Amino acid sequence: SGDAATPPEVVVAAVAGSSAARQFGQGGANAIDMREQPRPGSIPECVAELDEKGRIYATGRRKTASARVWIQPGTGKFTVNRMSMIDYFVRDFHRDEVTLPFAVTKMAGFFDVWCTVKGGGHSGQAGAIRHGVSRCLNAWNPTMLRLALKREGFLTRDRRRVERKKPGQPKARKKKQWVKR
């Protein structure tokens, strides 16, 4: 994988063809084509403080995974741990999950995403990135984007974790077989 960033056409295809896009009525003939939308007036005005590179930062967490996410106006490049999102996430479900906030807010292709993620497996990491991207979009312009993100539950940290194994039991909840006599 030579290029570390995802080409905008791939993100367009991932968002437009995702199950999330179909769920929100954007699949098939009504698929989002980010290249046809006008760029300058489409991005809502940023109300948050940007860093020296013009980015917004947020942290996302899920299970034991933790993601540091930066977004900035761009063409839709999505980089995870210095790899393209397509190269990093092999399963379509994980690719759909990280692009869900853009599909819900109809902001796909207007922001470049750069993130580092540690811990957990691919599902936990995808959930952590989704949480971080949602928080970044919320910080960008809460008045326009917060309602859509909150309605889908993307701003809420999912507190579920793996339950610990208990002593005297084979697993967390499983018990030894009960013998009557």
Side-chain angles (χ1 to χ4, degrees):
S1 56
D3 188 18
T6 308
E9 293 81 20
V10 176
V11 175
V12 170
V15 172
S18 70
S19 59
R22 287 188 294 279
Q23 178 182 350
F24 298 110
Q26 299 165 353
N30 300 328
I32 305 171
D33 190 0
M34 294 168 274
R35 294 161 291 181
E36 293 177 4
Q37 297 176 0
R39 290 220 182 270
S42 295
I43 298 178
E45 184 181 340
C46 180
V47 296
E49 242 184 80
L50 303 174
D51 66 359
E52 65 276 355
K53 295 182 180 178
R55 306 175 300 184
I56 286 191
Y57 168 79
T59 304
R61 291 184 182 88
R62 169 88 168 93
K63 294 185 179 181
T64 57
S66 182
R68 300 183 307 160
V69 180
W70 289 267
I71 66 167
Q72 64 185 7
T75 58
K77 288 188 258 179
F78 208 112
T79 309
V80 181
N81 289 350
R82 297 186 178 178
M83 294 173 66
S84 164
M85 173 193 61
I86 303 299
D87 295 335
Y88 192 80
F89 291 115
V90 179
R91 296 185 178 165
D92 288 334
F93 174 76
H94 298 139
R95 295 175 190 165
D96 291 349
E97 182 148 359
V98 298
T99 56
L100 264 175
F102 294 116
V104 169
T105 58
K106 297 179 178 60
M107 290 286 122
F110 295 113
F111 292 100
D112 290 341
V113 179
W114 189 83
C115 61
T116 60
V117 62
K118 291 190 229 176
H122 285 291
S123 291
Q125 289 184 352
I129 292 171
R130 185 190 79 179
H131 187 229
V133 168
S134 301
R135 290 175 74 177
C136 280
L137 288 172
N138 182 48
W140 186 270
N141 192 329
T143 56
M144 288 187 70
L145 305 175
R146 182 175 177 82
L147 184 63
L149 293 168
K150 193 71 175 169
R151 188 181 304 129
E152 297 303 322
F154 294 161
L155 297 176
T156 305
R157 159 72 156 103
D158 191 352
R159 292 281 174 201
R160 294 177 295 169
R161 289 179 178 244
V162 177
E163 192 172 338
R164 67 175 287 261
K165 180 194 174 301
K166 313 309 188 290
Q169 296 175 196
K171 291 166 60 175
R173 299 278 177 111
K174 188 175 182 181
K175 308 283 190 287
K176 290 181 181 168
Q177 184 172 353
W178 181 75
V179 181
K180 189 172 184 178
R181 286 181 186 82

